[in-house]
Amino acid sequence: MSVTLANETERGTAPAESTVHASRPTKAPFRRWVRWTAFADTLAMAITALTAMLVRFGWVDATHQSVSYHAVGIGVTLAWPAILGIAGAYELRSSLFGVEELRRLLRGSMLLLALAGVVHIVFRLNLSRTYFLILLPLAVLLTAAGRALVKAALSRSATGLNSHKVVAMGPARDIARFFADLERTRTSNQVELV
């Protein structure tokens, strides 16, 4: 499939590769979605880190083999939005397709696991595997739930904060398939073909 998305102010040529591309719009609604989503992601990870710490260690005994899980929780909470950014979870395509968004959240959780592994080896910290077994799935679930709430709130807004004007370029068959995918996922984003 060779379909390219661009917002109405950007011009460009269609790439040769066979995927759907979405350029980052310069419009305020998309930037607002990114800000609110990053806030929801941070809040979801803070709740997740606290929950994982309480389940694994309890509040009083949150230091395990000289590792403070209060500090680990703060670290993963602050790193989570940056990791999701690296995983592409703040791109337009991620906001349009629920399956793509989930794929990028899972990619972000694997990046967080890899980062924890590097920290574990380099600094010779004996990080709790159980803590991360609780943290990672719960982080994906709460982050997805927070993003769904943000989408619902923005789509109900009277100002159309979650709408996108797009130009689709490519073969008619691929464009038809692209918009069928949008319909099938029942996205809360309003996509208007310009």
PDB file of all heavy atoms in Angstrom, residues 49-81:
ATOM      1  N   ALA A  49       3.857   2.726  38.576  1.00  0.00           N
ATOM      2  CA  ALA A  49       5.076   2.532  39.373  1.00  0.00           C
ATOM      3  C   ALA A  49       4.743   2.402  40.851  1.00  0.00           C
ATOM      4  O   ALA A  49       5.317   1.563  41.556  1.00  0.00           O
ATOM      5  CB  ALA A  49       6.043   3.691  39.133  1.00  0.00           C
ATOM      6  N   LEU A  50       3.819   3.227  41.323  1.00  0.00           N
ATOM      7  CA  LEU A  50       3.416   3.151  42.729  1.00  0.00           C
ATOM      8  C   LEU A  50       2.738   1.811  43.021  1.00  0.00           C
ATOM      9  O   LEU A  50       3.034   1.164  44.030  1.00  0.00           O
ATOM     10  CB  LEU A  50       2.481   4.315  43.069  1.00  0.00           C
ATOM     11  CG  LEU A  50       1.995   4.389  44.510  1.00  0.00           C
ATOM     12  CD1 LEU A  50       3.164   4.583  45.471  1.00  0.00           C
ATOM     13  CD2 LEU A  50       0.984   5.508  44.667  1.00  0.00           C
ATOM     14  N   THR A  51       1.864   1.378  42.121  1.00  0.00           N
ATOM     15  CA  THR A  51       1.169   0.105  42.303  1.00  0.00           C
ATOM     16  C   THR A  51       2.149  -1.063  42.297  1.00  0.00           C
ATOM     17  O   THR A  51       2.075  -1.961  43.149  1.00  0.00           O
ATOM     18  CB  THR A  51       0.111  -0.089  41.199  1.00  0.00           C
ATOM     19  OG1 THR A  51      -0.794   1.013  41.233  1.00  0.00           O
ATOM     20  CG2 THR A  51      -0.640  -1.384  41.379  1.00  0.00           C
ATOM     21  N   ALA A  52       3.073  -1.073  41.339  1.00  0.00           N
ATOM     22  CA  ALA A  52       4.057  -2.166  41.267  1.00  0.00           C
ATOM     23  C   ALA A  52       4.923  -2.207  42.521  1.00  0.00           C
ATOM     24  O   ALA A  52       5.234  -3.285  43.028  1.00  0.00           O
ATOM     25  CB  ALA A  52       4.930  -1.996  40.021  1.00  0.00           C
ATOM     26  N   MET A  53       5.297  -1.043  43.035  1.00  0.00           N
ATOM     27  CA  MET A  53       6.117  -0.989  44.245  1.00  0.00           C
ATOM     28  C   MET A  53       5.333  -1.511  45.458  1.00  0.00           C
ATOM     29  O   MET A  53       5.857  -2.299  46.246  1.00  0.00           O
ATOM     30  CB  MET A  53       6.577   0.448  44.505  1.00  0.00           C
ATOM     31  CG  MET A  53       7.481   0.584  45.713  1.00  0.00           C
ATOM     32  SD  MET A  53       7.892   2.297  46.068  1.00  0.00           S
ATOM     33  CE  MET A  53       6.320   2.913  46.649  1.00  0.00           C
ATOM     34  N   LEU A  54       4.074  -1.086  45.572  1.00  0.00           N
ATOM     35  CA  LEU A  54       3.268  -1.529  46.712  1.00  0.00           C
ATOM     36  C   LEU A  54       2.984  -3.030  46.658  1.00  0.00           C
ATOM     37  O   LEU A  54       3.025  -3.704  47.689  1.00  0.00           O
ATOM     38  CB  LEU A  54       1.958  -0.740  46.762  1.00  0.00           C
ATOM     39  CG  LEU A  54       2.085   0.726  47.134  1.00  0.00           C
ATOM     40  CD1 LEU A  54       0.739   1.432  47.027  1.00  0.00           C
ATOM     41  CD2 LEU A  54       2.664   0.895  48.526  1.00  0.00           C
ATOM     42  N   VAL A  55       2.709  -3.541  45.470  1.00  0.00           N
ATOM     43  CA  VAL A  55       2.436  -4.978  45.346  1.00  0.00           C
ATOM     44  C   VAL A  55       3.689  -5.794  45.645  1.00  0.00           C
ATOM     45  O   VAL A  55       3.637  -6.801  46.347  1.00  0.00           O
ATOM     46  CB  VAL A  55       1.893  -5.304  43.932  1.00  0.00           C
ATOM     47  CG1 VAL A  55       1.862  -6.805  43.677  1.00  0.00           C
ATOM     48  CG2 VAL A  55       0.510  -4.717  43.745  1.00  0.00           C
ATOM     49  N   ARG A  56       4.824  -5.358  45.136  1.00  0.00           N
ATOM     50  CA  ARG A  56       6.068  -6.135  45.294  1.00  0.00           C
ATOM     51  C   ARG A  56       6.713  -5.964  46.667  1.00  0.00           C
ATOM     52  O   ARG A  56       7.172  -6.920  47.259  1.00  0.00           O
ATOM     53  CB  ARG A  56       7.055  -5.741  44.185  1.00  0.00           C
ATOM     54  CG  ARG A  56       8.440  -6.359  44.297  1.00  0.00           C
ATOM     55  CD  ARG A  56       8.399  -7.876  44.280  1.00  0.00           C
ATOM     56  NE  ARG A  56       9.711  -8.453  44.354  1.00  0.00           N
ATOM     57  CZ  ARG A  56      10.299  -8.873  45.471  1.00  0.00           C
ATOM     58  NH1 ARG A  56       9.674  -8.755  46.628  1.00  0.00           N
ATOM     59  NH2 ARG A  56      11.502  -9.406  45.444  1.00  0.00           N
ATOM     60  N   PHE A  57       6.750  -4.717  47.176  1.00  0.00           N
ATOM     61  CA  PHE A  57       7.530  -4.455  48.396  1.00  0.00           C
ATOM     62  C   PHE A  57       6.719  -3.905  49.554  1.00  0.00           C
ATOM     63  O   PHE A  57       7.163  -3.961  50.687  1.00  0.00           O
ATOM     64  CB  PHE A  57       8.655  -3.446  48.106  1.00  0.00           C
ATOM     65  CG  PHE A  57       9.569  -3.878  47.010  1.00  0.00           C
ATOM     66  CD1 PHE A  57       9.519  -3.281  45.779  1.00  0.00           C
ATOM     67  CD2 PHE A  57      10.482  -4.907  47.210  1.00  0.00           C
ATOM     68  CE1 PHE A  57      10.363  -3.665  44.756  1.00  0.00           C
ATOM     69  CE2 PHE A  57      11.325  -5.314  46.200  1.00  0.00           C
ATOM     70  CZ  PHE A  57      11.270  -4.692  44.967  1.00  0.00           C
ATOM     71  N   GLY A  58       5.589  -3.320  49.302  1.00  0.00           N
ATOM     72  CA  GLY A  58       4.886  -2.584  50.339  1.00  0.00           C
ATOM     73  C   GLY A  58       5.477  -1.196  50.444  1.00  0.00           C
ATOM     74  O   GLY A  58       6.491  -0.869  49.834  1.00  0.00           O
ATOM     75  N   TRP A  59       4.831  -0.325  51.191  1.00  0.00           N
ATOM     76  CA  TRP A  59       5.284   1.063  51.272  1.00  0.00           C
ATOM     77  C   TRP A  59       6.543   1.209  52.116  1.00  0.00           C
ATOM     78  O   TRP A  59       7.455   1.932  51.771  1.00  0.00           O
ATOM     79  CB  TRP A  59       4.171   1.934  51.836  1.00  0.00           C
ATOM     80  CG  TRP A  59       4.574   3.373  51.883  1.00  0.00           C
ATOM     81  CD1 TRP A  59       4.985   4.082  52.971  1.00  0.00           C
ATOM     82  CD2 TRP A  59       4.642   4.280  50.786  1.00  0.00           C
ATOM     83  NE1 TRP A  59       5.284   5.367  52.615  1.00  0.00           N
ATOM     84  CE2 TRP A  59       5.087   5.519  51.276  1.00  0.00           C
ATOM     85  CE3 TRP A  59       4.360   4.165  49.428  1.00  0.00           C
ATOM     86  CZ2 TRP A  59       5.253   6.632  50.464  1.00  0.00           C
ATOM     87  CZ3 TRP A  59       4.522   5.269  48.624  1.00  0.00           C
ATOM     88  CH2 TRP A  59       4.963   6.480  49.143  1.00  0.00           C
ATOM     89  N   VAL A  60       6.612   0.517  53.236  1.00  0.00           N
ATOM     90  CA  VAL A  60       7.725   0.694  54.170  1.00  0.00           C
ATOM     91  C   VAL A  60       9.002   0.058  53.636  1.00  0.00           C
ATOM     92  O   VAL A  60      10.070   0.658  53.666  1.00  0.00           O
ATOM     93  CB  VAL A  60       7.365   0.101  55.554  1.00  0.00           C
ATOM     94  CG1 VAL A  60       8.537   0.236  56.504  1.00  0.00           C
ATOM     95  CG2 VAL A  60       6.136   0.780  56.108  1.00  0.00           C
ATOM     96  N   ASP A  61       8.906  -1.143  53.087  1.00  0.00           N
ATOM     97  CA  ASP A  61      10.085  -1.869  52.637  1.00  0.00           C
ATOM     98  C   ASP A  61      10.292  -1.693  51.134  1.00  0.00           C
ATOM     99  O   ASP A  61      10.364  -2.642  50.379  1.00  0.00           O
ATOM    100  CB  ASP A  61       9.937  -3.359  52.977  1.00  0.00           C
ATOM    101  CG  ASP A  61      11.214  -4.134  52.675  1.00  0.00           C
ATOM    102  OD1 ASP A  61      12.291  -3.524  52.737  1.00  0.00           O
ATOM    103  OD2 ASP A  61      11.109  -5.332  52.371  1.00  0.00           O
ATOM    104  N   ALA A  62      10.391  -0.433  50.681  1.00  0.00           N
ATOM    105  CA  ALA A  62      10.541  -0.160  49.250  1.00  0.00           C
ATOM    106  C   ALA A  62      12.003  -0.091  48.835  1.00  0.00           C
ATOM    107  O   ALA A  62      12.315   0.289  47.733  1.00  0.00           O
ATOM    108  CB  ALA A  62       9.827   1.126  48.886  1.00  0.00           C
ATOM    109  N   THR A  63      12.916  -0.455  49.727  1.00  0.00           N
ATOM    110  CA  THR A  63      14.333  -0.553  49.374  1.00  0.00           C
ATOM    111  C   THR A  63      14.697  -2.021  49.410  1.00  0.00           C
ATOM    112  O   THR A  63      14.551  -2.690  50.421  1.00  0.00           O
ATOM    113  CB  THR A  63      15.202   0.240  50.369  1.00  0.00           C
ATOM    114  OG1 THR A  63      14.775   1.590  50.345  1.00  0.00           O
ATOM    115  CG2 THR A  63      16.651   0.162  49.983  1.00  0.00           C
ATOM    116  N   HIS A  64      15.132  -2.529  48.271  1.00  0.00           N
ATOM    117  CA  HIS A  64      15.436  -3.948  48.151  1.00  0.00           C
ATOM    118  C   HIS A  64      16.864  -4.082  47.638  1.00  0.00           C
ATOM    119  O   HIS A  64      17.187  -3.633  46.540  1.00  0.00           O
ATOM    120  CB  HIS A  64      14.447  -4.594  47.172  1.00  0.00           C
ATOM    121  CG  HIS A  64      14.700  -6.039  46.921  1.00  0.00           C
ATOM    122  ND1 HIS A  64      14.530  -6.999  47.885  1.00  0.00           N
ATOM    123  CD2 HIS A  64      15.116  -6.692  45.815  1.00  0.00           C
ATOM    124  CE1 HIS A  64      14.824  -8.183  47.372  1.00  0.00           C
ATOM    125  NE2 HIS A  64      15.182  -8.019  46.118  1.00  0.00           N
ATOM    126  N   GLN A  65      17.718  -4.693  48.447  1.00  0.00           N
ATOM    127  CA  GLN A  65      19.126  -4.898  48.119  1.00  0.00           C
ATOM    128  C   GLN A  65      19.773  -3.600  47.633  1.00  0.00           C
ATOM    129  O   GLN A  65      20.327  -3.517  46.547  1.00  0.00           O
ATOM    130  CB  GLN A  65      19.272  -6.004  47.069  1.00  0.00           C
ATOM    131  CG  GLN A  65      18.816  -7.342  47.585  1.00  0.00           C
ATOM    132  CD  GLN A  65      19.082  -8.459  46.590  1.00  0.00           C
ATOM    133  OE1 GLN A  65      19.639  -8.234  45.538  1.00  0.00           O
ATOM    134  NE2 GLN A  65      18.665  -9.660  46.950  1.00  0.00           N
ATOM    135  N   SER A  66      19.660  -2.579  48.435  1.00  0.00           N
ATOM    136  CA  SER A  66      20.247  -1.247  48.241  1.00  0.00           C
ATOM    137  C   SER A  66      19.689  -0.482  47.044  1.00  0.00           C
ATOM    138  O   SER A  66      20.249   0.524  46.629  1.00  0.00           O
ATOM    139  CB  SER A  66      21.784  -1.325  48.133  1.00  0.00           C
ATOM    140  OG  SER A  66      22.164  -1.826  46.861  1.00  0.00           O
ATOM    141  N   VAL A  67      18.565  -0.926  46.486  1.00  0.00           N
ATOM    142  CA  VAL A  67      17.910  -0.187  45.402  1.00  0.00           C
ATOM    143  C   VAL A  67      16.625   0.412  45.951  1.00  0.00           C
ATOM    144  O   VAL A  67      15.761  -0.308  46.450  1.00  0.00           O
ATOM    145  CB  VAL A  67      17.582  -1.120  44.206  1.00  0.00           C
ATOM    146  CG1 VAL A  67      16.834  -0.354  43.133  1.00  0.00           C
ATOM    147  CG2 VAL A  67      18.845  -1.734  43.648  1.00  0.00           C
ATOM    148  N   SER A  68      16.498   1.737  45.874  1.00  0.00           N
ATOM    149  CA  SER A  68      15.288   2.417  46.329  1.00  0.00           C
ATOM    150  C   SER A  68      14.261   2.404  45.196  1.00  0.00           C
ATOM    151  O   SER A  68      14.488   2.996  44.136  1.00  0.00           O
ATOM    152  CB  SER A  68      15.601   3.857  46.723  1.00  0.00           C
ATOM    153  OG  SER A  68      14.393   4.563  46.927  1.00  0.00           O
ATOM    154  N   TYR A  69      13.140   1.738  45.406  1.00  0.00           N
ATOM    155  CA  TYR A  69      12.123   1.668  44.370  1.00  0.00           C
ATOM    156  C   TYR A  69      11.267   2.919  44.316  1.00  0.00           C
ATOM    157  O   TYR A  69      10.517   3.118  43.359  1.00  0.00           O
ATOM    158  CB  TYR A  69      11.309   0.383  44.496  1.00  0.00           C
ATOM    159  CG  TYR A  69      12.106  -0.748  43.919  1.00  0.00           C
ATOM    160  CD1 TYR A  69      13.021  -1.446  44.699  1.00  0.00           C
ATOM    161  CD2 TYR A  69      12.028  -1.050  42.575  1.00  0.00           C
ATOM    162  CE1 TYR A  69      13.813  -2.442  44.146  1.00  0.00           C
ATOM    163  CE2 TYR A  69      12.813  -2.045  42.025  1.00  0.00           C
ATOM    164  CZ  TYR A  69      13.703  -2.734  42.807  1.00  0.00           C
ATOM    165  OH  TYR A  69      14.495  -3.712  42.253  1.00  0.00           O
ATOM    166  N   HIS A  70      11.407   3.803  45.313  1.00  0.00           N
ATOM    167  CA  HIS A  70      10.831   5.148  45.177  1.00  0.00           C
ATOM    168  C   HIS A  70      11.564   5.864  44.048  1.00  0.00           C
ATOM    169  O   HIS A  70      10.945   6.469  43.171  1.00  0.00           O
ATOM    170  CB  HIS A  70      10.965   5.952  46.480  1.00  0.00           C
ATOM    171  CG  HIS A  70      10.191   5.379  47.628  1.00  0.00           C
ATOM    172  ND1 HIS A  70       8.814   5.413  47.685  1.00  0.00           N
ATOM    173  CD2 HIS A  70      10.605   4.767  48.765  1.00  0.00           C
ATOM    174  CE1 HIS A  70       8.415   4.851  48.812  1.00  0.00           C
ATOM    175  NE2 HIS A  70       9.484   4.438  49.495  1.00  0.00           N
ATOM    176  N   ALA A  71      12.891   5.788  44.044  1.00  0.00           N
ATOM    177  CA  ALA A  71      13.705   6.428  42.994  1.00  0.00           C
ATOM    178  C   ALA A  71      13.495   5.751  41.643  1.00  0.00           C
ATOM    179  O   ALA A  71      13.411   6.425  40.607  1.00  0.00           O
ATOM    180  CB  ALA A  71      15.182   6.389  43.377  1.00  0.00           C
ATOM    181  N   VAL A  72      13.391   4.431  41.627  1.00  0.00           N
ATOM    182  CA  VAL A  72      13.146   3.715  40.374  1.00  0.00           C
ATOM    183  C   VAL A  72      11.799   4.146  39.797  1.00  0.00           C
ATOM    184  O   VAL A  72      11.673   4.401  38.595  1.00  0.00           O
ATOM    185  CB  VAL A  72      13.195   2.182  40.585  1.00  0.00           C
ATOM    186  CG1 VAL A  72      12.712   1.436  39.347  1.00  0.00           C
ATOM    187  CG2 VAL A  72      14.593   1.741  40.963  1.00  0.00           C
ATOM    188  N   GLY A  73      10.790   4.262  40.658  1.00  0.00           N
ATOM    189  CA  GLY A  73       9.461   4.693  40.208  1.00  0.00           C
ATOM    190  C   GLY A  73       9.482   6.090  39.617  1.00  0.00           C
ATOM    191  O   GLY A  73       8.860   6.350  38.582  1.00  0.00           O
ATOM    192  N   ILE A  74      10.204   7.001  40.268  1.00  0.00           N
ATOM    193  CA  ILE A  74      10.325   8.364  39.732  1.00  0.00           C
ATOM    194  C   ILE A  74      11.062   8.336  38.396  1.00  0.00           C
ATOM    195  O   ILE A  74      10.667   9.000  37.439  1.00  0.00           O
ATOM    196  CB  ILE A  74      11.035   9.281  40.748  1.00  0.00           C
ATOM    197  CG1 ILE A  74      10.130   9.502  41.965  1.00  0.00           C
ATOM    198  CG2 ILE A  74      11.419  10.616  40.103  1.00  0.00           C
ATOM    199  CD1 ILE A  74      10.810  10.177  43.137  1.00  0.00           C
ATOM    200  N   GLY A  75      12.111   7.528  38.314  1.00  0.00           N
ATOM    201  CA  GLY A  75      12.887   7.428  37.078  1.00  0.00           C
ATOM    202  C   GLY A  75      12.062   6.910  35.912  1.00  0.00           C
ATOM    203  O   GLY A  75      12.089   7.479  34.819  1.00  0.00           O
ATOM    204  N   VAL A  76      11.312   5.816  36.125  1.00  0.00           N
ATOM    205  CA  VAL A  76      10.518   5.270  35.018  1.00  0.00           C
ATOM    206  C   VAL A  76       9.360   6.192  34.652  1.00  0.00           C
ATOM    207  O   VAL A  76       8.982   6.296  33.482  1.00  0.00           O
ATOM    208  CB  VAL A  76      10.014   3.830  35.293  1.00  0.00           C
ATOM    209  CG1 VAL A  76      11.161   2.857  35.402  1.00  0.00           C
ATOM    210  CG2 VAL A  76       9.109   3.751  36.483  1.00  0.00           C
ATOM    211  N   THR A  77       8.824   6.912  35.646  1.00  0.00           N
ATOM    212  CA  THR A  77       7.742   7.860  35.365  1.00  0.00           C
ATOM    213  C   THR A  77       8.228   8.996  34.478  1.00  0.00           C
ATOM    214  O   THR A  77       7.554   9.382  33.514  1.00  0.00           O
ATOM    215  CB  THR A  77       7.156   8.415  36.675  1.00  0.00           C
ATOM    216  OG1 THR A  77       6.615   7.328  37.440  1.00  0.00           O
ATOM    217  CG2 THR A  77       6.070   9.435  36.410  1.00  0.00           C
ATOM    218  N   LEU A  78       9.410   9.531  34.778  1.00  0.00           N
ATOM    219  CA  LEU A  78       9.950  10.625  33.975  1.00  0.00           C
ATOM    220  C   LEU A  78      10.429  10.146  32.606  1.00  0.00           C
ATOM    221  O   LEU A  78      10.357  10.885  31.623  1.00  0.00           O
ATOM    222  CB  LEU A  78      11.090  11.310  34.720  1.00  0.00           C
ATOM    223  CG  LEU A  78      10.693  12.021  36.019  1.00  0.00           C
ATOM    224  CD1 LEU A  78      11.915  12.584  36.722  1.00  0.00           C
ATOM    225  CD2 LEU A  78       9.662  13.112  35.753  1.00  0.00           C
ATOM    226  N   ALA A  79      10.905   8.910  32.526  1.00  0.00           N
ATOM    227  CA  ALA A  79      11.414   8.383  31.257  1.00  0.00           C
ATOM    228  C   ALA A  79      10.300   7.922  30.319  1.00  0.00           C
ATOM    229  O   ALA A  79      10.499   7.899  29.099  1.00  0.00           O
ATOM    230  CB  ALA A  79      12.373   7.217  31.525  1.00  0.00           C
ATOM    231  N   TRP A  80       9.146   7.566  30.845  1.00  0.00           N
ATOM    232  CA  TRP A  80       8.083   6.961  30.042  1.00  0.00           C
ATOM    233  C   TRP A  80       7.646   7.809  28.846  1.00  0.00           C
ATOM    234  O   TRP A  80       7.588   7.294  27.717  1.00  0.00           O
ATOM    235  CB  TRP A  80       6.910   6.599  30.942  1.00  0.00           C
ATOM    236  CG  TRP A  80       5.797   5.817  30.320  1.00  0.00           C
ATOM    237  CD1 TRP A  80       4.482   6.157  30.310  1.00  0.00           C
ATOM    238  CD2 TRP A  80       5.861   4.544  29.663  1.00  0.00           C
ATOM    239  NE1 TRP A  80       3.741   5.196  29.691  1.00  0.00           N
ATOM    240  CE2 TRP A  80       4.565   4.193  29.280  1.00  0.00           C
ATOM    241  CE3 TRP A  80       6.905   3.673  29.350  1.00  0.00           C
ATOM    242  CZ2 TRP A  80       4.262   3.012  28.601  1.00  0.00           C
ATOM    243  CZ3 TRP A  80       6.617   2.499  28.662  1.00  0.00           C
ATOM    244  CH2 TRP A  80       5.310   2.180  28.299  1.00  0.00           C
ATOM    245  N   PRO A  81       7.332   9.094  28.999  1.00  0.00           N
ATOM    246  CA  PRO A  81       6.943   9.872  27.814  1.00  0.00           C
ATOM    247  C   PRO A  81       8.060   9.956  26.771  1.00  0.00           C
ATOM    248  O   PRO A  81       7.786   9.905  25.567  1.00  0.00           O
ATOM    249  CB  PRO A  81       6.613  11.262  28.371  1.00  0.00           C
ATOM    250  CG  PRO A  81       6.360  11.065  29.807  1.00  0.00           C
ATOM    251  CD  PRO A  81       7.195   9.895  30.222  1.00  0.00           C
TER     252      PRO A  81
END
